[in-house]
Amino acid sequence: MAANRKILSLPGDGIGPEVMRQVNRVVEWFDKKRIASFDVTEDLVGGAAFDKYGTPLAEETMRRAMESDAVLFGAVGGPKWDNLPFAQKPERGLLRLRKDMDLFANLRPALVFDPLIGASTLKPEVIEGLDILIIRELTGGTYFGEPRGITTLPDGTRRGVNTQVYTTPEIVRVGRVAFELARKRHNKVCSVEKANVMESGVLWREEMQKLHDTEYKDVELSHMYADNCAMQLVRNPKQFDVIVTDNLFGDLLSDCAAMLTGSLGMLPSASLGAADSSGRRKALYEPVHGSAPDIAGKDAANPLACLLSFAMMLRYSFDMKEEADLVQRAVKAALESGARTGDILQPGMARVSTTQMGDAVLKALEKLC
Ligand code: IPM
Ligand code: MG
């Protein structure tokens, strides 16, 4: 089939390549079934890119990312590169992609699949049917704020600085994404900051409220301090629909939300830029989990977060809702068949490898199609 959907695949380090391989198999399946074709190019990022090019993201890779319809990302980092200078660390490759593609809205849905209810450390009634969406601001705040750095003081001691900073447009554009998506869900947005101790939090709260009052009165808006939100996420997560928060709080709260679903290995994400005049957005899709060096290369990682990130790509970049639902249903069916990677293993279930989990998803796709 003619392929005009340009995807740049960046498997990265650690378990990245292993989980991405399962996505490639699903891409091939879509092609074979003549459902959809994708023009996939693969390149290096993170430590793998450093080893080959001396930088965690080569200029040519950055250029390709800018030209693609969507970037699929695995994971970066590992002990081998831990002691590199800051600018060459694998994580800088990912942060540069986010910043230069201006991917300010990071969507992290935490969805509990019924077969996995028992895999969560929380009581079944607390998480059954859970479906929340964390929207994390991704190109501002502490991650990119200036001044930053480590300096040596006259007395020989050192000083490390990072800056939390947000402007009105940065808050409003991510707020808008939250309100728009809430309208397609349960119409509730909870905006999270620390307005009790931070000026940037006061501004965040005021701008969110103003945006709500002028453009989104139909959506229910509440505000919460980030520490309370962390507590509420484990106490009663079903009170939330959409949570919108800054870059650093979003990093923390999304890991917390991920564990509600049983494992970090289940959580996908989409990072989106602004829509251009033709409605097209730059976009990057990645599992929320990291490179898991301890199990890398052992065919033991859970590929479902990466497969669900691929489903998000179908939904948000290519408007392929049915196909996205199909992948999601196949993941659910694979879990129902009893397949479990180590991270979601439950008594009485079969422990499968990364490849075997891919097999289970492909088998389910065949059945559902
Ligand atoms: C995430 C990760 C990244 C982050 C790292 C790998 C730079 O933890 O996507 O949540 O801190 O944003
Ligand atoms: Mg994180």
Side-chain angles (χ1 to χ4, degrees):
M1 275 175 90
N4 50 9
R5 303 176 186 91
K6 269 172 78 172
I7 301 177
L8 176 65
S9 168
L10 299 174
D13 308 321
I15 60 170
E18 293 161 67
V19 294
M20 194 66 84
R21 213 164 292 135
Q22 306 313 312
V23 172
N24 295 343
R25 294 175 70 196
V26 171
V27 168
E28 281 157 23
W29 183 86
F30 268 90
D31 190 46
K32 195 182 86 196
K33 288 277 165 187
R34 302 190 151 264
I35 297 174
S37 286
F38 302 91
D39 174 3
V40 187
T41 317
E42 205 175 288
D43 208 339
L44 301 174
V45 71
F50 176 80
D51 287 347
K52 182 149 183 216
Y53 307 123
T55 162
L57 188 74
E59 290 309 319
E60 175 62 16
T61 314
M62 188 66 232
R63 196 188 58 75
R64 281 184 178 167
M66 295 298 259
E67 280 175 2
S68 61
D69 293 314
V71 177
L72 271 174
F73 189 95
V76 287
K80 184 177 171 196
W81 307 284
D82 273 353
N83 297 321
L84 284 175
F86 202 72
Q88 289 164 354
K89 281 191 187 298
E91 290 78 3
R92 300 312 301 173
L94 173 59
L95 294 171
R96 169 143 186 235
L97 282 164
R98 289 175 179 171
K99 188 69 175 173
D100 286 10
M101 292 170 77
D102 205 13
L103 307 173
F104 63 90
N106 182 216
L107 281 47
R108 301 191 159 189
L111 199 99
V112 171
F113 287 88
D114 283 347
L116 280 191
I117 289 174
S120 174
T121 48
L122 292 169
K123 291 195 187 114
E125 62 269 25
V126 176
I127 48 128
E128 187 177 3
L130 180 78
D131 176 4
I132 62 180
L133 176 62
I134 297 190
I135 300 185
R136 167 186 177 194
E137 199 290 327
L138 203 60
T139 50
T142 327
Y143 273 57
F144 297 99
E146 297 282 347
R148 65 185 299 160
I150 300 177
T151 51
T152 302
L153 300 173
D155 68 356
T157 58
R158 298 196 301 157
R159 182 170 181 264
V161 178
N162 287 93
T163 303
Q164 166 76 334
V165 51
Y166 274 104
T167 60
T168 303
E170 284 178 307
I171 299 168
V172 169
R173 65 180 184 171
V174 75
R176 214 167 250 141
V177 172
F179 286 120
E180 295 287 342
L181 288 171
R183 277 181 175 161
K184 296 184 189 160
R185 297 170 46 95
H186 297 101
N187 224 29
K188 267 168 56 176
V189 170
C190 179
S191 169
V192 173
E193 25 58 17
K194 274 198 58 90
N196 50 346
V197 286
M198 297 163 81
E199 284 79 359
S200 60
V202 173
L203 183 75
W204 183 282
R205 185 174 286 223
E206 288 176 2
E207 293 300 339
M208 282 292 172
Q209 190 63 49
K210 223 186 283 172
L211 178 65
H212 169 268
D213 296 349
T214 50
E215 291 178 44
Y216 297 99
K217 270 214 178 83
D218 55 303
V219 182
E220 190 185 318
L221 171 68
S222 60
H223 303 276
M224 199 178 269
Y225 298 140
D227 51 348
N228 185 25
C229 183
M231 190 265 277
Q232 296 296 339
L233 270 174
V234 284
R235 192 185 75 90
N236 174 21
K238 282 190 258 181
Q239 69 186 281
F240 298 109
D241 178 24
V242 173
I243 291 174
V244 62
T245 189
D246 76 19
N247 204 344
L248 185 58
F249 293 143
D251 182 41
L252 308 181
L253 295 173
S254 60
D255 266 27
C256 179
M259 270 323 282
L260 304 174
T261 71
S263 164
L264 207 49
M266 292 300 301
L267 214 74
S269 84
S271 305
L272 308 175
D276 65 16
S277 53
S278 64
R280 192 175 157 269
R281 292 174 187 274
K282 288 208 169 41
L284 180 145
Y285 299 86
E286 59 174 314
V288 171
H289 64 67
S291 58
D294 52 325
I295 56 164
K298 296 185 178 152
D299 199 27
N302 184 347
L304 297 181
C306 201
L307 283 162
L308 291 168
S309 301
F310 171 73
M312 288 189 89
M313 182 198 78
L314 297 175
R315 196 179 303 281
Y316 292 104
S317 281
F318 301 120
D319 214 13
M320 296 167 70
K321 184 181 174 307
E322 266 171 47
E323 292 80 358
D325 288 344
L326 179 68
V327 174
Q328 223 165 301
R329 277 163 50 219
V331 166
K332 186 169 175 216
L335 293 170
E336 274 161 357
S337 77
R340 296 285 187 278
T341 40
D343 57 315
I344 48 174
L345 192 61
Q346 291 163 269
M349 300 283 169
R351 183 184 185 128
V352 300
S353 66
T354 309
T355 312
Q356 286 167 331
M357 185 60 102
D359 294 344
V361 171
L362 283 166
K363 197 167 148 200
L365 281 171
E366 281 291 345
K367 261 200 197 151
L368 288 165
C369 202

